[in-house]
C-alpha cells in the first residue's frame, strides 16, 4: 500500500510503516535539516522541503494513494511547553485534513502529544473535537487512541495520541 508522509521529520513514522510493508512514495517536511535527515534515512523516497500550506495536493501526481500519515507540530499542545493557544502551528492539522479531503486515501494516521487531549482554543473549544469534526465532514470515521511506545519495543516511556481514520 502506498502512503504519503506529512510533517515527516527525519522519517521515523515512515520507517514504522515500511517495516509493515507499506511503501512511502513522498514525504513533506518544511525543515531543511529534518528533510536532509529524512533523505539520508530513506534515500529512495523523494522529500519535498516546503511549507505544507503552500502545496496543492492535486499537483503532486499522487494517484491511488492508500494512506496518509503524519504528525503535525505539537509544540503548542505539549504539557512541557507554554501551550500557547495563539501558536500558528496549532492549526496545521487543517492542512492534514485538506490533504486527506483532496487525495481521499483509504486511511490516515495522525500523531500528536497527549496534551492535545486537554487543549482548548481561544474560544474554549476542544481541539480534539474540532479535529474529529473536520474529518467527519469529509466522510471519515475517526478513532483516537493513546499509546505508549514502551509497549511496542521502543526503549522509552513515550505516550502519544493517534487519530486513526477510515
Amino acid at each position: 500500500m502506498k502512503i504519503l508522509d506529512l510533517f515527516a521529520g527525519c522519517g521515523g513514522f515512515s520507517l514504522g510503516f515500511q517495516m509493515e510493508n507499506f511503501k512511502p512514495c513522498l514525504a513533506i517536511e518544511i525543515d531543511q535539516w529534518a528533510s536532509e535527515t529524512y533523505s539520508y534515512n530513506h534515500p529512495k523516497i523523494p522529500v519535498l522541503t516546503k511549507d505544507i500550506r503552500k502545496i496543492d495536493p492535486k499537483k503532486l501526481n499522487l494517484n491511488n494513494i492508500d494512506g496518509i500519515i503524519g504528525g503535525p507540530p505539537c509544540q503548542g499542545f505539549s504539557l512541557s511547553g507554554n501551550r500557547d493557544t495563539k501558536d500558528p502551528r496549532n492549526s496545521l492539522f487543517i492542512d492534514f485534513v485538506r490533504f486527506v479531503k483532496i487525495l481521499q486515501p483509504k486511511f490516515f494516521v495522525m500523531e500528536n502529544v497527549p496534551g492535545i487531549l486537554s487543549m482548548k482554543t481561544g474560544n474554549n473549544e476542544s481541539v480534539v473535537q474540532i479535529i474529529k469534526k473536520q474529518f467527519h465532514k469529509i466522510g471519515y470515521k475517526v478513532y483516537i487512541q493513546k499509546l505508549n511506545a514502551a509497549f511496542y519495543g521502543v526503549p522509552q516511556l513515550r505516550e502519544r495520541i493517534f487519530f486513526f481514520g477510515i
Side-chain angles (χ1 to χ4, degrees), residues 5 8-17 19 38 41-42 69:
D5 191 347
C10 64
F13 218 178
S14 283
L15 177 61
F17 273 81
M19 291 169 70
Y38 189 104
N41 290 333
H42 304 281
I69 65 171

Side-chain angles (χ1 to χ4, degrees), residues 61-80:
N61 198 22
L62 291 172
N63 299 328
N64 301 319
I65 197 84
D66 294 297
I68 297 178
I69 65 171
C74 63
Q75 292 89 339
F77 305 128
S78 176
L79 297 173
S80 300

Side-chain angles (χ1 to χ4, degrees), residues 31-148:
D31 183 81
Q32 183 67 39
W33 177 85
S35 288
E36 289 171 8
T37 305
Y38 189 104
S39 291
Y40 179 83
N41 290 333
H42 304 281
K44 295 181 180 177
I45 302 168
V47 180
L48 184 56
T49 307
K50 197 170 180 180
D51 185 337
I52 195 169
R53 295 170 292 187
K54 297 177 181 173
I55 299 172
D56 181 353
K58 295 175 195 166
K59 294 182 179 178
L60 294 178
N61 198 22
L62 291 172
N63 299 328
N64 301 319
I65 197 84
D66 294 297
I68 297 178
I69 65 171
C74 63
Q75 292 89 339
F77 305 128
S78 176
L79 297 173
S80 300
N82 60 6
R83 294 174 57 84
D84 182 4
T85 59
K86 294 181 179 143
D87 186 329
R89 296 172 293 187
N90 291 358
S91 62
L92 286 172
F93 71 84
I94 292 295
D95 289 285
F96 193 106
V97 174
R98 179 173 60 91
F99 270 70
V100 170
K101 180 180 180 180
I102 291 169
L103 296 175
Q104 291 289 298
K106 295 173 186 157
F107 72 92
F108 69 83
V109 180
M110 189 173 77
E111 173 269 340
N112 216 286
V113 295
I116 199 169
L117 295 175
S118 60
M119 191 68 177
K120 305 278 187 187
T121 67
N123 297 332
N124 205 33
E125 295 176 90
S126 163
V127 171
V128 168
Q129 290 306 314
I130 292 169
I131 292 170
K132 285 177 69 174
K133 283 180 194 174
Q134 292 298 314
F135 283 121
H136 283 142
K137 276 187 199 176
I138 61 172
Y140 285 81
K141 291 183 181 180
V142 179
Y143 304 90
I144 300 171
Q145 184 72 46
K146 183 191 287 188
L147 300 173
N148 189 325

